[in-house]
Amino acid sequence: MKTQSVAPPNQDLLNYVLRQADTPLILAQRLCEWCGHAPELEIDLALSNIGLDLLGQSRHFLSYAATLYGIDFDEDRLAFGRDEREYRNLLLVEQPNGGFNDTLVRQFFIDAYHVLLHQALGQSRDPQLAAISTKSLKEVEYHLRFSGGWVIRLGDSTELSREKIQQSVNQLWRFTGELFHCDEVEQRLAEEGIAVDPRTLYEPWRQIINETFAQATLEIPQETPYRQGGKQGLHTEHLGYMLAEMQYLQRTYPNCNW
């Protein structure tokens, strides 16, 4: 089932809203894959609840995006009816769960980014974006306390746990550069006071990372070539497999209701 392409009145704004919707949507799907498989019951519940928080945030952004498209669009059609190249999520969140250490580091990197993003986007001249980000801020602040606390706990623990966390940091670091890459869409909207220029978030994000890693006795990896392209619809091989599972019901039974 492929949606019919419709040109929205404000392509830049739609593109930006979809970016804010797709990153938590895909991350929520990843986190809920842990349901019943986490190391202990408390973590199982925590990851699922964080995933549900992110899904709620995504729904708000998707509903807003649907209004930008116009008639015959809703959040479900946008969530489950697009092809892989039409998703605008960051590459970081589509990476496989791996072990708990990999999920934890991925979550910590994106949580620190989300706190700063929603703090800034809450000041947007676009009232919808500002309202969604203001509502989301309390949730992502909790997410950061959870993931940052576990990074410190495991990094400053046994030699084995520190080694595993450091391996995850080294593996996922190459996806963090995309968080702060500013393309023409974001630059134009930032100049209008609507979007956040992601470059302005890098220094405070790096400060959060440095302070947490100091307590966790972890090291910042040496600079490596960064991966990017997710915001433009260019994804890693992992997203297609995830979407095949996520969209199965809607594509098998289009517009089903129960």
Side-chain angles (χ1 to χ4, degrees):
M1 181 189 69
K2 181 175 175 60
T3 60
Q4 182 180 1
S5 178
V6 177
N10 190 331
Q11 185 67 49
D12 278 354
L13 181 58
L14 172 67
N15 198 329
Y16 187 73
V17 173
L18 286 176
R19 293 178 185 187
Q20 309 317 312
D22 289 345
T23 288
L25 175 66
I26 297 303
L27 184 55
Q29 180 73 10
R30 277 292 187 223
L31 289 177
C32 289
E33 291 173 1
W34 272 106
C35 188
H37 300 282
E40 58 186 47
L41 182 59
E42 181 180 357
I43 296 174
D44 196 306
L45 293 173
L47 293 177
S48 295
N49 284 330
I50 292 172
L52 290 174
D53 286 344
L54 292 166
L55 184 60
Q57 294 168 21
S58 178
R59 289 188 63 188
H60 289 305
F61 284 116
L62 286 173
S63 294
Y64 183 27
T67 66
L68 296 175
Y69 265 114
I71 193 170
D72 293 333
F73 274 84
D74 58 23
E75 62 185 72
D76 290 330
R77 182 174 177 181
L78 291 175
F80 301 113
R82 287 178 288 156
D83 292 333
E84 178 182 334
R85 292 290 295 270
E86 296 174 298
Y87 282 79
R88 297 292 183 261
N89 59 280
L90 296 165
L91 297 180
L92 175 64
V93 300
E94 67 192 48
Q95 300 311 300
N97 284 333
F100 178 57
N101 48 302
D102 300 309
T103 293
L104 185 63
V105 170
R106 182 188 65 198
Q107 192 66 35
F108 174 59
F109 285 158
I110 199 68
D111 287 343
Y113 169 79
H114 270 160
V115 167
L116 298 169
L117 174 68
H118 288 305
Q119 285 176 345
L121 200 54
Q123 307 303 315
S124 172
R125 290 179 56 192
D126 184 298
Q128 282 288 92
L129 289 176
I132 297 171
S133 286
T134 299
K135 185 177 186 300
S136 302
L137 183 57
K138 289 185 179 180
E139 294 176 339
V140 296
E141 286 175 339
Y142 160 72
H143 301 168
L144 180 58
R145 289 196 298 272
F146 173 83
S147 60
W150 270 102
V151 166
I152 294 171
R153 183 175 177 181
L154 296 180
D156 192 28
S157 182
T158 67
E159 181 178 347
L160 178 60
S161 67
R162 181 189 179 279
E163 179 182 346
K164 285 182 173 292
I165 289 290
Q166 186 66 59
Q167 287 175 350
S168 301
V169 169
N170 296 344
Q171 178 181 350
L172 293 170
W173 188 256
R174 68 185 186 275
F175 296 105
T176 59
E178 185 185 24
L179 277 61
F180 313 104
H181 173 70
C182 183
D183 66 3
E184 294 179 354
V185 170
E186 289 169 323
Q187 186 169 349
R188 286 193 293 264
L189 291 176
E191 290 172 354
E192 297 175 24
I194 294 174
V196 176
D197 186 335
R199 294 170 294 189
T200 64
L201 305 179
Y202 176 72
E203 289 301 330
W205 180 86
R206 188 61 182 264
Q207 183 177 352
I208 294 173
I209 302 301
N210 289 343
E211 291 175 354
T212 303
F213 278 17
Q215 296 181 65
T217 68
L218 296 172
E219 298 177 359
I220 298 289
Q222 294 183 350
E223 296 299 328
T224 57
Y226 287 113
R227 296 285 304 275
Q228 63 186 41
K231 292 190 287 187
Q232 291 76 37
L234 304 176
H235 297 281
T236 65
E237 66 274 16
H238 306 297
L239 182 63
Y241 292 105
M242 177 191 294
L243 292 179
E245 179 177 353
M246 190 178 90
Q247 298 179 341
Y248 171 79
L249 184 62
Q250 183 59 237
R251 289 181 178 271
T252 304
Y253 303 100
N255 304 315
C256 61
N257 291 291
W258 63 84

